[in-house]
Every structure is written in C-alpha cells, then in structure tokens.
Amino acid sequence: MSKRTTSKYKIDRRMGQNIWGRPKSPVNKREYGPGQHGQRRKGKTSDFGTQLKAKQKLKGYYGSITEKQFRRYYAEAVRMRGDSGENLIGLLECRLDAAVYRAKFVPTVFAARQFVSHGHVKVNGRRVNVASYMLKVGDVVEVKESSRQMVMVLEAVQLAERDVPDYFDVDHSKMTAKMTRVPGLSEVPYPVQMEPNLVVEFYSR
C-alpha cells in the first residue's frame, strides 16, 4: 500500500478544483492556488502542463496511486481493445478500494484504502486486504460482519453528498455490493471533469 504524504485538501488546492466534491474543501472558498503568490499564478499552461495536470488529478482522485502502479494501468489500458482513455477509467473503477468507496461503505477513497488494508472487506466470501485488488463483473464485495457497526461505516451510508452509481448493486442492510459491469467515463460520478485522453497523450509522448 502506498503512503499518502500530502493532505487531500492540498491536492484540491493544487488542482484548483474540489475533485472529490467534499463540502469542507478549501476550494469552495478559495479557487486560487496555495501560497502567497497563489492568486497571481494565472499564466498560460503548455500542452505538457495540461496533460500533467490531468494525470495528477486522476491519480489524486483514486487516493494518490503511485506512479509505477498508475503507469501499469495505462499500459494495460493501451493493450486492451477500444478507447484507451475509457479502458483506463474502467480499470481504475475495478480497484477494490474504489468499489468500497463507490458503495458508500466509507466516506473517502483514502478511508477505503485503509479499510481494505485493515482486513474489514471480503470479496466473494474471502477476506482481501489489498486495496488494488482488481474486481471482475459479478464479484460481490462485503463488509465483514464484525465491522458493520463501525461509526465510520454507519456515517458513510448516510452521506447525502454522493450517490451509489448504477454499475454497483448495493444492499446496505447486508453491507454487500455487486459489480454489474465495467463503467465508461460518462457513467462514473466524478464531481469534476476528468480527461483520461490527456493522460494517454501524456504517456504516449
């Protein structure tokens, strides 16, 4: 598991966007960058800079995945048939920690990674503690019975700021989530616009 060394709200400030749609994000009040010169940093961004920002935003959204792991997802997306950008999104959404977050078992994607690594989640009845575990269509993710009354879990289920996407069939009474299909970009409920095509361009330079 990679260790996050940057505050998630600092990622928001650097991107200039509330990438998780959280109500407490500082970007809701200050849309400019961090630092004493943040309000003056409005120069024209190069093509490379635009592509790099798109990559950093997508990486950050999924809990600041390591560069090595993210590049591996890109390589796999390119090998697959179809649009590489769409494939990349599909692979990221198949991560176990992303599924736990989408199912609203936890409040944030960072909490999802920790929740999985601490052994609170089962896949098809078997305990899995690897956040990057790749789900297949039809797999059932389940919160361990002894973990279902955790305060974090109970609060996450009640969160009104986001809904469960329809490519997961979730039963909060049983704390289970079944992946019904691999989503495309237009189906993923990102609070901000993601541009996986720019990520593909960044790596294919």
Side-chain angles (χ1 to χ4, degrees):
M1 184 183 78
S2 64
K3 182 179 179 181
R4 174 170 56 91
T5 57
T6 306
S7 162
K8 58 181 176 292
Y9 291 138
K10 283 184 180 178
I11 298 173
D12 273 0
R13 294 289 308 279
R14 191 167 66 243
M15 294 296 107
Q17 293 177 296
N18 183 358
I19 66 174
W20 295 284
R22 300 284 286 168
K24 292 183 180 179
S25 173
V27 178
N28 295 340
K29 295 181 180 179
R30 296 171 293 181
E31 294 184 356
Y32 49 87
Q36 62 177 329
H37 303 298
Q39 296 184 64
R40 291 190 288 175
R41 293 176 186 163
K42 294 184 179 179
K44 185 178 179 181
T45 307
S46 66
D47 289 344
F48 173 82
T50 303
Q51 294 163 0
L52 177 62
K53 185 174 180 179
K55 186 199 76 163
Q56 290 174 327
K57 184 164 63 173
L58 194 59
K59 273 179 61 179
Y61 181 87
Y62 287 95
S64 296
I65 299 171
T66 64
E67 178 63 25
K68 183 178 179 180
Q69 195 169 44
F70 196 73
R71 195 178 188 98
R72 200 158 56 229
Y73 288 132
Y74 160 75
E76 179 64 23
V78 171
R79 281 196 297 267
M80 296 166 65
R81 290 184 178 180
D83 182 88
S84 297
E86 291 277 344
N87 294 340
L88 178 60
I89 295 299
L91 289 170
L92 291 169
E93 284 294 303
C94 285
R95 285 175 57 98
L96 179 56
D97 57 354
V100 169
Y101 174 64
R102 292 288 181 226
K104 291 178 68 174
F105 294 153
V106 291
T108 70
V109 71
F110 300 102
R113 182 178 295 182
Q114 187 178 56
F115 195 67
V116 172
S117 67
H118 287 186
H120 297 296
V121 176
K122 292 180 178 180
V123 178
N124 299 329
R126 183 172 62 89
R127 189 169 71 92
V128 178
N129 62 1
V130 179
S132 60
Y133 178 89
M134 298 301 287
L135 297 175
K136 300 180 184 68
V137 174
D139 281 352
V140 176
V141 178
E142 173 189 2
V143 177
K144 264 179 35 178
E145 192 167 350
S146 58
S147 306
R148 295 175 187 176
Q149 296 304 311
M150 292 175 65
V151 173
M152 176 178 67
V153 175
L154 297 175
E155 289 181 348
V157 170
Q158 302 300 321
L159 280 176
E161 63 196 50
R162 58 189 175 91
D163 297 319
V164 176
D166 60 7
Y167 47 91
F168 280 105
D169 184 6
V170 177
D171 185 341
H172 282 134
S173 65
K174 297 180 180 178
M175 284 294 173
T176 60
K178 181 178 180 180
M179 190 171 199
T180 58
R181 67 179 183 278
V182 177
L185 174 61
S186 61
E187 297 178 280
V188 181
Y190 294 120
V192 297
Q193 183 182 6
M194 293 294 179
E195 300 166 299
N197 59 309
L198 294 180
V199 179
V200 173
E201 289 176 12
F202 175 87
Y203 283 120
S204 60
R205 292 190 327 278

